[in-house]
Amino acid sequence: MNFWPSCGFDPLARNARGWLVPTDAFLRLFLARPELSLVPESCAAETALHEALCASPARAIPLVELDAMQDADARDNYTMFLAFRDALLAAGTLEGYYLQLFRNGAVNIPPLFLDLIAQAILRNALDDSTDSYEARAAEILFRAQRISVQDGQILAGDRDVIDMYNETGGLGEIGRLLTQGSAPMRTVTLEVLNTDNASSYWQASERHNLLLDLTHEVTQNLGHGLTFNMTRARSGLKALARVLEKWIRHFLGVTVTIRPEQKIDDAAWRWHVGLDTESTALLNDLYEERPVAPDRMQRMISLFRLDFVNPNEMRADVAGKPVYLGLTMNVDNVVKLKPQNLLVNLPLATVM
């Protein structure tokens, strides 16, 4: 399945480990982005630099060529791109660069660049997947999600797409003008990914317009005070767990199993990793037995239990113990997952 075609996966090469080797064609994708592409106001120096880089993206750029640009913002953008390019080429692979960036603790590139790198790596890790639920869940690792709760369903939708529809009704600039003119906007309903429309994901994967149901358990009232909890067979959380397993195996070479959990009922709780900023703080507070306000607890979407298939790959002091993960939305009902947390915070016996 050739999903996310614009992420730059196709022009990338693979090394013997299966990691992605940057190419000139991949670097040109960054030069074509709005942050670096030419505009009518571009000066002669910027135009010359852009054309030279498009012709030879790995070309060494003397400082004098940057200093010659009249627009300070454009100069800053090119300076940042060149630093990113040089570090990426020095690392040799996208995965090596990504790991090095977070293990060194000096993240000095725009979040957009991080998300683009993560998307290409995920496309690599999921190259043999035919499960549209997995592909849709993988979007959570590089695109922020807006969460809504409807009739007990927890639905994740692409934040940028939802905000665009709310602002323009899906009509782009025309819709924005109509909104400014107080014209009535059409109502747009986004579909939830399900077995009936799952096959359509592959052709429209870059629209990011399918909602993902993150409801893991459904409670049915059987009457007479009886209730029945049923785990959903096609849970978006299950799909996300499979993606996280593949992410870890692709980078670290270790095999883990991850499953959604409703609560942590473990007197020997020893290790946890937040999948986002909110979860990190929340799990830290729970672990330290600090009081947590009910509204913070209600923003937690799910817990997960991670187990190493081979406990010998864990630190000796926690070998065989589960690692708990958390996924939580912020006060604006947005989740911005940080997949790098799983690469730098797991209790590995040795650094891979």
Side-chain angles (χ1 to χ4, degrees), residues 163-165 167-183 185:
D163 291 352
M164 182 271 292
Y165 275 121
E167 184 178 353
T168 71
L171 297 176
E173 191 59 33
I174 294 176
R176 188 173 288 105
L177 292 173
L178 290 173
T179 301
Q180 293 172 355
S182 301
M185 298 297 295

Side-chain angles (χ1 to χ4, degrees), residues 248 252 271 273 306 308 323 325 341-348:
I248 292 169
L252 305 178
W271 203 278
V273 177
L306 180 154
F308 281 70
V323 175
L325 315 176
N341 287 2
L342 287 171
L343 306 180
V344 297
N345 294 329
L346 288 180
L348 297 171

